Amino acid sequence: MNYTLAVLPGDGIGPEVTAEGVKVLRAVGARFGHSFTFQEALIGGSAIDATGEPLPAETLASCEAADAVLLGAVGGPKWDDPEARVRPEQGLLGLRKALGLYANLRPVTVHPLLVDASPLRHERLEGVDLLVVRELTGGIYFGEKRRGRDDAGEWASDLCIYSEAEIVRVVRIAAELARMRNGKLTLVDKANVLETSRLWRSVTTRLMQNEYPDVKFDWMLVDACAMHLLRRPSDFDVIVTENMFGDILTDEASMLAGSMGMLPSASLGAGNKGLYEPIHGSAPDIAGQGKANPLATILSVAMLLRHSLGLEREASAVEAAVSATIEAGIVTGDLVRPGQRAASTRAVGDAVVGRL
Ligand code: IPM
Ligand code: MG
C-alpha cells in the first residue's frame, strides 16, 4: 500500500526529530512492504520567515491531501515578541482547527529503565500507565481575544466557551479508549469555579450513565489532579479534560516518564486523518546540536501507524524497537544514567531502525 504523509518539521529541534521519525517510517516500509510518499511543508516560525504566515495555504493543502501529518515543533525566541502580528503557535493551532482534530491523545508510560530519570521516587512510578485525552479545538485557546484600554489602563480578555456537542464528541473518544484499556475514566475540571466546567461535569456524567455504564467514571478538580499525578499516578487510567488543563497537566505528567522527550501524541477528529507530534516544544537552547531526544517523535510515528493507517503490527514493532533501544542504553542526554554516555539524536534513530 502507498501512503502519503505530510511532514512539517517546524522550528528549533523540530527538523532533527522529524528526520528520525521519517527514517523510522522508511524502515517500516522496507520491512513490512509499504511505501510512503513524504510531502515536506513549512509551519511556524520558519514559515513566517519564508512566507509571512505561520500556516501557509500550501501547507494546509498538503495536510488535507495526506493520509496523516507528522509534525516536529513550533516556536522560538526569534518570534516571541508579544506585539508581533503573527506567531508560530498560530500555525499549529490553525492546523488543528482546520483539520478538525478535536481529540488529543497523550499516553504516559514509564519504562522500567527510566525510573531514575524521573524526579519522582521509584515506588510512585510503579504501574503508571495513563492516557490524557485533551480537547484540542475549543475552550480558551479559541475563544474571542480582546484588548482595550480604559481609565484603569490596558485590559485583555480570552473567552472560554464550550458547547455540549464539543464535549460529547471528545468524551466519547475517551470513553471508548477507556473501554479498551482498564475501564476507568476521570473527568478533570474546575466545576467549583467555572461555568464551562459545570457544563463539562453535567454533560459527561449524563453521557457516561446513559452510554458507558460499564466504564468506571469519576471526576476531579484540576488543582487536585495536579497533586494526585505526583502522589498516586498509577491510579489513573484515562483522563479527559478541556484544552488548557490538558496542556498543563501533560507537561507535568511527562516528568513521570522521565523526560519531555518521551511523550508522543496523536490528534484525531472525525475521520482517520491525524496529526502526530511529540508533546515537547522546539527547545531552541539545544537546536542543531544533535542532542534532542527523538523518541517522542518516533513513538508518535507508532501512533500514526496505529490510528491513521490501521497498521497495528507495524506500530507495535516500532514501540518494541524503542524499548529495545532504551534497554541497550542508547539514549540522549536527558535520559543518561551516571556512567552512561549520551547518544546523538541520529544515533538513537539509527538504533531504533536497527532493532525493527
Ligand atoms: C502543546 C503546546 C502547544 C499548545 C503550543 C505550542 C501552542 O504547548 O502542544 O502542548 O499549547 O497546545
Ligand atoms: Mg503544551
Side-chain angles (χ1 to χ4, degrees):
M1 206 34 200
N2 182 62
Y3 302 100
T4 303
L5 303 177
V7 178
L8 316 183
D11 309 319
I13 59 171
E16 292 162 74
V17 293
T18 44
E20 300 313 310
V22 167
K23 192 195 276 178
V24 168
L25 279 163
R26 286 193 205 282
V28 166
R31 154 106 200 264
F32 292 90
H34 308 295
S35 73
F36 298 105
T37 305
F38 299 102
Q39 287 265 352
E40 201 167 295
L42 292 166
I43 193 161
S46 45
I48 294 175
D49 288 350
T51 71
E53 296 300 328
L55 179 60
E58 267 174 61
T59 298
L60 184 54
S62 293
C63 295
E64 273 164 351
D67 295 305
V69 184
L70 180 66
L71 186 143
V74 298
K78 183 173 175 195
W79 308 280
D80 252 354
D81 175 7
E83 306 300 327
R85 181 188 64 89
V86 287
R87 296 188 54 97
E89 291 78 5
Q90 290 165 343
L92 179 56
L93 300 180
L95 184 61
R96 291 168 175 171
K97 189 78 169 179
L99 297 178
L101 305 173
Y102 56 80
N104 182 217
L105 280 46
R106 298 185 163 191
V108 182
T109 53
V110 183
H111 191 286
L113 284 182
L114 299 182
V115 288
D116 286 329
S118 170
L120 263 76
R121 286 211 302 272
H122 287 196
E123 58 272 25
R124 301 255 148 120
L125 297 171
E126 232 160 79
V128 169
D129 179 7
L130 63 92
L131 170 70
V132 178
V133 178
R134 168 188 176 195
E135 200 291 325
L136 203 60
T137 54
I140 198 164
Y141 271 58
F142 290 92
E144 189 192 4
K145 299 186 186 309
R146 298 180 59 199
R147 278 293 266 273
R149 180 182 279 285
D150 60 21
D151 299 344
E154 272 197 287
W155 58 264
S157 87
D158 295 280
L159 179 68
C160 184
I161 181 164
Y162 269 111
S163 69
E164 179 175 356
E166 284 176 305
I167 297 168
V168 165
R169 65 185 184 180
V170 70
V171 172
R172 274 218 173 93
I173 289 195
E176 298 288 343
L177 289 164
R179 255 185 192 160
M180 288 154 49
R181 295 170 46 100
N182 292 319
K184 212 173 130 185
L185 181 73
T186 304
L187 167 68
V188 172
D189 62 32
K190 187 72 186 174
N192 53 347
V193 176
L194 300 178
E195 204 53 47
T196 40
S197 282
R198 287 190 274 272
L199 183 68
W200 272 83
R201 184 78 68 93
S202 58
V203 167
T204 305
T205 305
R206 200 160 54 228
L207 183 75
M208 294 308 292
Q209 277 168 357
N210 293 341
E211 293 184 32
Y212 302 93
D214 52 313
V215 175
K216 194 164 170 276
F217 170 64
D218 62 2
W219 57 74
M220 194 178 276
L221 295 174
V222 62
D223 46 353
C225 180
M227 185 263 292
H228 286 304
L229 274 173
L230 304 182
R231 204 172 74 96
R232 46 180 185 86
S234 60
D235 283 2
F236 292 100
D237 181 18
V238 180
I239 290 174
V240 65
T241 191
E242 63 136 90
N243 203 343
M244 186 155 77
F245 297 162
D247 177 46
I248 298 168
L249 292 176
T250 49
D251 267 29
E252 182 190 3
S254 75
M255 284 296 105
L256 304 170
S259 165
M260 288 273 286
M262 288 303 296
L263 256 60
S265 86
S267 303
L268 307 172
N272 286 336
K273 178 160 5 220
L275 166 67
Y276 300 84
E277 49 171 325
I279 80 146
H280 63 68
S282 59
D285 52 320
I286 57 162
Q289 301 171 35
K291 289 184 180 167
N293 183 349
L295 292 180
T297 305
I298 293 171
L299 291 168
S300 300
V301 160
M303 295 186 88
L304 182 159
L305 293 164
R306 174 174 294 125
H307 294 286
S308 281
L309 309 186
L311 302 175
E312 177 57 40
R313 208 160 50 104
E314 289 79 345
S316 302
V318 170
E319 287 162 349
V322 166
S323 289
T325 299
I326 294 168
E327 278 141 35
I330 304 169
V331 292
T332 42
D334 51 327
L335 297 175
V336 279
R337 295 195 285 175
Q340 238 178 4
R341 239 186 38 165
S344 69
T345 308
R346 208 174 286 158
V348 173
D350 289 341
V352 173
V353 165
R355 284 163 181 75
L356 259 176

